[in-house]
Amino acid sequence: MNKEERNSIVELPIDVIDQFPKHPYKVKDDDDMIQLIESIKENGVITPIIVRPKPKGRYEMISGHRRLQACRHLGHKTVRGQVLELDRNAATVMMVDSNLARSNILPSEKAFAYKMKLDAMKKQGKRTDLTLSPLETKLRSDEQLANDVGYSRAQIQRYIRLTNLIPLLLQMVDEGKIAMRPAVEISYLPDHLQDKLADCILKEDATPSHDQTIRMRKLFKEGLLTEEAIDKIMHELKPNQTNRISLPEDKVKKFMPKNMPVSKREDYILKALEHYDKYLKKQRERVR
């Protein structure tokens, strides 16, 4: 492609377009994708994708991953696009920003997107040609990012902490099973202890409270957080369970099937009591 064609809207061969490295946003073949495919089938690609040139006549995606995927589904050989001369950092910032307007962005997507953009902004800040004018106040990179996305600096840092979670726990955050603040506390634990916690969550069908994760992190700092300690904390009663009847676990477990989750033990006990009540009634009828 010659210099005149760059920065203008052109038809780009789809088979020479590569994905953006570590693209943080998921491109799903969901209902929205079906609607996008139908729209492109009827109206074409209204908003061109944006790419940057690579060696040997190839291009790297920056903006428009879903449009490109829709065109692939339709069997198109080319797609309307704009070629911009951008370095890695500028391309990263544009890639992140172009996707932030999407609805229903997952916490994991925000986490990796914010981390990528923040790293790129910090590197840009080292360049003398990107400094602000004397009349402007230069913000910290995380402050600028917070302003860009409408969050506080603290919230940006919380999202970025999520990138330290093991995939299974991060998936639980995306699914709404683990809230943000407990997830942030968990992110400070090493992978093997996160693995143990994930195992407890699945086995007991219960997620840790914010208070429990704070204690786990504190115990880890003190060198006292073992797998046994995590297991003990996860078996504690939650505040909303304090009015329930408490039964000694060691005396109850021997009457239950092995590996039964905590969430199902109450139903099991109630059914056992119902069965026992029916047994007592039959015994009374025999006595009469």
Side-chain angles (χ1 to χ4, degrees), residues 247-286:
L247 298 173
E249 184 177 355
D250 58 337
K251 293 182 179 180
V252 173
K253 282 181 70 176
K254 63 182 180 180
F255 298 109
M256 295 184 174
K258 291 182 178 180
N259 301 321
M260 174 173 282
V262 170
S263 62
K264 295 184 179 179
R265 291 178 187 173
E266 182 178 320
D267 288 339
Y268 188 88
I269 292 172
L270 290 173
K271 288 178 181 178
L273 290 172
E274 287 176 8
H275 181 77
Y276 185 63
D277 183 57
K278 290 178 182 178
Y279 169 78
L280 290 178
K281 287 178 180 179
K282 288 181 180 179
Q283 291 295 101
R284 292 191 199 104
E285 289 174 0
R286 287 178 184 176

Side-chain angles (χ1 to χ4, degrees), residues 98-221:
S98 66
N99 285 275
L100 288 178
R102 286 170 44 195
S103 59
N104 301 321
I105 302 177
L106 295 172
S108 63
E109 294 176 319
K110 290 182 180 180
F112 286 100
Y114 294 163
K115 186 176 188 301
M116 289 178 71
K117 182 175 179 178
L118 185 59
D119 289 343
M121 291 172 69
K122 287 178 178 178
K123 291 174 182 176
Q124 283 182 324
K126 296 176 182 178
R127 289 173 46 183
T128 57
D129 60 325
L130 291 175
T131 55
L132 300 174
S133 70
L135 297 178
E136 295 175 303
T137 301
K138 188 170 184 177
L139 298 176
R140 283 177 42 161
S141 296
D142 55 354
E143 290 176 325
Q144 184 60 57
L145 175 55
N147 290 341
D148 291 345
V149 301
Y151 284 133
S152 66
R153 274 179 50 210
Q155 187 68 354
I156 292 295
Q157 293 301 333
R158 290 188 193 103
Y159 272 113
I160 292 176
R161 281 301 316 173
L162 298 183
T163 63
N164 294 284
L165 291 174
I166 62 172
L168 181 55
L169 291 178
L170 187 56
Q171 180 182 334
M172 292 180 187
V173 176
D174 282 343
E175 293 172 350
K177 295 178 181 177
I178 301 179
M180 173 68 81
R181 288 183 180 274
V184 169
E185 299 296 333
I186 295 168
S187 73
Y188 288 94
L189 305 182
D191 286 359
H192 73 282
L193 292 179
Q194 290 191 37
D195 283 330
K196 172 59 180 177
L197 178 58
D199 183 61
C200 285
I201 291 172
L202 293 174
K203 182 179 177 182
E204 306 300 334
D205 193 22
T207 55
S209 66
H210 189 206
D211 174 70
Q212 287 174 319
T213 57
I214 288 174
R215 283 187 285 131
M216 288 182 199
R217 182 182 171 188
K218 184 174 183 293
L219 286 173
F220 173 67
K221 281 185 175 180

Side-chain angles (χ1 to χ4, degrees), residues 19-30:
Q19 292 294 313
F20 195 95
K22 298 182 180 179
H23 186 247
Y25 302 101
K26 297 178 176 64
V27 180
K28 301 178 182 178
D29 289 332
D30 52 14

Side-chain angles (χ1 to χ4, degrees), residues 59-70:
Y59 301 93
E60 181 178 276
M61 276 295 300
I62 296 176
S63 174
H65 288 76
R66 294 180 69 253
R67 278 163 276 158
L68 183 66
Q69 178 77 340

